Amino acid sequence: MLNKGAEREAGGLLSGKVAMITGASSGIGAAAARLFAAEGAAVVLMARREDRLKKVAHEIVASGGRALVAPGDVVFAEDVGRVVGAALDAFGRLDVAFNNAGWGTVGTDLHETDDAVFEQVMDVNVRGRGTACAISFPRCSPPGRVLS
Protein backbone atom coordinates (compact mmCIF):
# COMPACT_ATOMS: atom_id res chain seq x y z
CA MET A 1 0.00 0.00 0.00
CA LEU A 2 1.63 3.17 -1.14
CA ASN A 3 0.29 6.68 -1.53
CA LYS A 4 3.13 8.29 -3.48
CA GLY A 5 1.22 11.43 -4.34
CA ALA A 6 0.18 12.36 -0.81
CA GLU A 7 2.28 14.93 1.00
CA ARG A 8 1.86 16.07 4.58
CA GLU A 9 1.83 19.69 5.55
CA ALA A 10 5.23 21.31 5.18
CA GLY A 11 7.05 21.71 8.44
CA GLY A 12 6.45 18.28 9.99
CA LEU A 13 9.44 17.11 11.99
CA LEU A 14 10.08 14.31 9.46
CA SER A 15 8.80 16.02 6.32
CA GLY A 16 10.52 14.61 3.25
CA LYS A 17 12.19 11.78 5.19
CA VAL A 18 11.83 8.02 4.70
CA ALA A 19 11.74 5.79 7.77
CA MET A 20 11.96 2.01 7.98
CA ILE A 21 10.29 0.64 11.09
CA THR A 22 10.79 -2.96 12.16
CA GLY A 23 8.18 -4.57 14.36
CA ALA A 24 5.64 -2.22 12.78
CA SER A 25 2.68 -4.60 12.92
CA SER A 26 1.72 -3.84 16.53
CA GLY A 27 2.56 -2.05 19.75
CA ILE A 28 5.34 0.53 19.79
CA GLY A 29 6.26 -0.15 16.15
CA ALA A 30 2.74 0.51 14.85
CA ALA A 31 2.45 3.62 17.04
CA ALA A 32 5.83 4.87 15.80
CA ALA A 33 4.75 4.29 12.19
CA ARG A 34 1.61 6.37 12.71
CA LEU A 35 3.58 9.12 14.47
CA PHE A 36 6.39 9.23 11.90
CA ALA A 37 3.81 9.42 9.09
CA ALA A 38 1.88 12.14 10.92
CA GLU A 39 5.15 14.10 11.09
CA GLY A 40 5.56 13.82 7.32
CA ALA A 41 7.76 10.76 6.79
CA ALA A 42 7.09 8.06 4.25
CA VAL A 43 7.17 4.85 6.27
CA VAL A 44 8.38 1.40 5.29
CA LEU A 45 6.67 -1.10 7.54
CA MET A 46 8.51 -4.34 8.33
CA ALA A 47 7.31 -7.24 10.46
CA ARG A 48 6.44 -10.90 10.03
CA ARG A 49 2.64 -10.44 10.11
CA GLU A 50 1.71 -9.01 6.71
CA ASP A 51 -2.01 -8.81 7.49
CA ARG A 52 -1.35 -6.52 10.45
CA LEU A 53 1.14 -4.45 8.46
CA LYS A 54 -1.53 -3.88 5.82
CA LYS A 55 -3.95 -2.65 8.49
CA VAL A 56 -1.40 -0.14 9.83
CA ALA A 57 -0.55 0.99 6.29
CA HIS A 58 -4.23 1.44 5.44
CA GLU A 59 -4.69 3.69 8.49
CA ILE A 60 -1.66 5.78 7.50
CA VAL A 61 -2.71 6.14 3.86
CA ALA A 62 -6.31 6.93 4.87
CA SER A 63 -4.89 9.79 6.95
CA GLY A 64 -2.97 11.14 3.94
CA GLY A 65 0.39 9.54 4.66
CA ARG A 66 2.68 7.34 2.62
CA ALA A 67 3.32 3.73 3.64
CA LEU A 68 4.94 0.70 2.08
CA VAL A 69 4.25 -2.79 3.43
CA ALA A 70 7.42 -4.90 3.39
CA PRO A 71 6.97 -8.15 5.31
CA GLY A 72 10.06 -9.82 6.68
CA ASP A 73 11.87 -11.13 9.73
CA VAL A 74 14.81 -9.23 11.22
CA VAL A 75 16.43 -12.57 12.07
CA PHE A 76 17.17 -13.06 8.35
CA ALA A 77 19.69 -10.67 6.79
CA GLU A 78 18.22 -11.29 3.33
CA ASP A 79 14.81 -10.08 4.55
CA VAL A 80 16.31 -6.90 5.99
CA GLY A 81 18.29 -6.28 2.81
CA ARG A 82 15.18 -6.79 0.68
CA VAL A 83 13.19 -4.32 2.80
CA VAL A 84 15.95 -1.70 2.68
CA GLY A 85 16.08 -2.19 -1.10
CA ALA A 86 12.30 -1.81 -1.31
CA ALA A 87 12.54 1.49 0.60
CA LEU A 88 15.17 2.77 -1.82
CA ASP A 89 13.19 1.58 -4.86
CA ALA A 90 9.91 3.11 -3.67
CA PHE A 91 11.16 6.38 -2.21
CA GLY A 92 14.71 6.86 -3.50
CA ARG A 93 16.26 7.18 -0.06
CA LEU A 94 16.30 5.95 3.52
CA ASP A 95 16.81 8.46 6.32
CA VAL A 96 15.75 6.68 9.49
CA ALA A 97 15.81 3.06 10.61
CA PHE A 98 13.80 2.46 13.77
CA ASN A 99 14.84 -1.06 14.74
CA ASN A 100 12.01 -1.81 17.10
CA ALA A 101 11.27 -5.50 16.48
CA GLY A 102 11.30 -7.50 19.67
CA TRP A 103 10.07 -10.76 21.06
CA GLY A 104 9.71 -12.14 24.54
CA THR A 105 7.64 -13.73 27.19
CA VAL A 106 6.35 -12.31 30.41
CA GLY A 107 6.44 -14.03 33.76
CA THR A 108 9.22 -16.58 33.42
CA ASP A 109 12.31 -15.98 35.51
CA LEU A 110 15.49 -16.03 33.46
CA HIS A 111 16.88 -19.11 35.22
CA GLU A 112 13.65 -20.98 34.37
CA THR A 113 13.44 -19.91 30.72
CA ASP A 114 13.59 -22.74 28.22
CA ASP A 115 16.76 -22.66 26.08
CA ALA A 116 14.78 -22.50 22.82
CA VAL A 117 12.77 -19.52 24.09
CA PHE A 118 15.96 -17.79 25.24
CA GLU A 119 17.56 -18.32 21.82
CA GLN A 120 14.47 -16.87 20.09
CA VAL A 121 14.63 -13.79 22.32
CA MET A 122 18.35 -13.35 21.56
CA ASP A 123 17.82 -13.94 17.82
CA VAL A 124 15.21 -11.22 17.50
CA ASN A 125 16.10 -8.73 20.23
CA VAL A 126 19.89 -8.77 19.89
CA ARG A 127 21.05 -10.41 16.67
CA GLY A 128 18.07 -9.10 14.66
CA ARG A 129 18.67 -5.53 15.78
CA GLY A 130 22.37 -5.88 15.04
CA THR A 131 21.61 -7.21 11.57
CA ALA A 132 19.11 -4.43 10.88
CA CYS A 133 21.65 -1.81 11.99
CA ALA A 134 24.47 -3.32 9.94
CA ILE A 135 22.37 -3.42 6.77
CA SER A 136 20.36 -0.22 7.08
CA PHE A 137 22.91 2.28 8.39
CA PRO A 138 25.28 2.20 5.39
CA ARG A 139 22.28 2.76 3.08
CA CYS A 140 20.85 5.72 5.02
CA SER A 141 21.10 9.12 3.35
CA PRO A 142 23.51 11.39 5.24
CA PRO A 143 23.00 12.22 8.01
CA GLY A 144 21.09 8.95 8.51
CA ARG A 145 19.70 7.95 11.85
CA VAL A 146 19.38 4.47 13.28
CA LEU A 147 17.31 4.01 16.42
CA SER A 148 17.51 0.65 18.17
Side-chain angles (χ1 to χ4, degrees), residues 129-148:
R129 285 180 191 228
T131 298
C133 284
I135 293 171
S136 63
F137 186 72
R139 306 292 299 275
C140 281
S141 302
R145 300 288 185 256
V146 174
L147 310 169
S148 284

Side-chain angles (χ1 to χ4, degrees), residues 19-41:
M20 177 184 80
I21 302 164
T22 68
S25 63
S26 64
I28 293 169
R34 291 181 193 102
L35 176 61
F36 287 17
E39 287 294 332

